Amino acid sequence: MDNREVILETALELFYTRGYDAVGVQEIAERSGVTKPTLYYYFKSKYGLLEQLLDSRSKPFAEEMRQACRYEGDLKGTLCRAAGTAAAFVEREPAFSALFVALYHSAKGNEAYRAVRPLVIRLQRQIEQIFEAASGDLGNMHGRQRQFSLGFIGLVLYYIVMKQEISSDAAVKISREEIEALVHQFMHGIYS
């Protein structure tokens, strides 16, 4: 790995284990085996480092979700693909996924929250587009696309986070059966 990648990996590990606010630039540089000027050369600031970390790690997920969220007339199938994509990403990137959720739940004035918020909004819009596309097939939508998208994201993310919390393994595996059960539970709620 080059210095830039080593710094990103080190920052991910430190931010994940101790939190963004608890980690300083000097510590990241020392653990990465570089000087502070080298870190600043690549990232300009700790916030710039966080932005690059979020961007580089979330791009593959964003593209996978874009494809998974294409609605083709089967709401259950589309929601299963979206939830399965999220679960597969968490399995591949457990530390980043946990950090992502933690950053979003930080104080709204915190720079870490400001850095992750656009990524969360993008995810919410991708899921909302499923419900917008399905509105012609669902008689009970009545402008509730955003409500449904938020409920779906909340259900899936909370399930994944809690499964991570109780798991003894770093990587959490969520089965196809679990995904289908979550989607079934969600769909039962929106149809009632």
Side-chain angles (χ1 to χ4, degrees):
M1 282 193 286
D2 66 4
N3 282 343
R4 184 178 189 286
E5 287 302 313
V6 170
I7 295 167
L8 285 168
E9 287 296 318
T10 302
L12 172 59
E13 177 188 335
L14 290 170
F15 294 160
Y16 166 67
T17 57
R18 299 217 345 262
Y20 175 78
D21 291 327
V23 176
V25 171
Q26 182 66 41
E27 182 178 5
I28 297 168
E30 287 174 3
R31 291 253 187 118
S32 299
V34 300
T35 63
K36 277 174 70 172
T38 300
L39 187 145
Y40 286 128
Y41 170 78
Y42 288 111
F43 302 105
K44 309 296 182 226
S45 65
K46 181 176 146 184
Y47 182 75
L49 171 57
L50 177 62
E51 285 183 312
Q52 287 296 307
L53 176 63
L54 291 170
D55 183 61
S56 67
R57 291 297 178 107
S58 69
K59 272 186 181 175
F61 176 63
E63 178 55 27
E64 291 167 6
M65 281 302 284
R66 187 187 67 74
Q67 293 178 24
C69 291
R70 280 191 319 239
Y71 179 72
E72 298 169 346
D74 176 13
L75 182 59
K76 183 178 180 183
T78 306
L79 293 176
C80 282
R81 273 196 322 271
T85 298
F89 184 75
V90 169
E91 185 178 348
R92 283 192 324 265
E93 295 275 358
F96 178 77
S97 300
L99 175 63
F100 181 89
V101 171
L103 292 175
Y104 189 67
H105 288 97
S106 58
K108 303 301 181 219
N110 188 300
E111 66 182 21
Y113 170 80
R114 287 193 314 271
V116 78
R117 187 176 186 276
L119 305 177
V120 172
I121 297 300
R122 179 177 63 200
L123 173 63
Q124 187 276 321
R125 286 187 180 139
Q126 287 175 318
I127 300 300
E128 188 173 340
Q129 287 173 353
I130 295 171
F131 294 104
E132 288 171 359
S135 64
D137 300 334
L138 297 173
N140 67 341
M141 189 72 67
H142 305 297
R144 296 187 296 171
Q145 293 90 330
R146 177 159 294 157
Q147 176 187 348
F148 289 171
S149 69
L150 296 175
F152 181 72
I153 291 167
L155 176 69
V156 172
L157 284 183
Y158 192 73
Y159 185 85
I160 291 170
V161 166
M162 291 308 297
K163 189 144 184 190
Q164 276 182 315
E165 186 64 31
I166 63 172
S167 176
S168 58
D169 296 331
V172 172
K173 175 81 173 135
I174 298 174
S175 71
R176 181 75 183 155
E177 293 79 20
E178 287 173 285
I179 296 294
E180 289 178 0
L182 280 173
V183 170
H184 178 78
Q185 175 184 349
F186 175 79
M187 291 186 69
H188 181 72
I190 68 172
Y191 285 123
S192 60

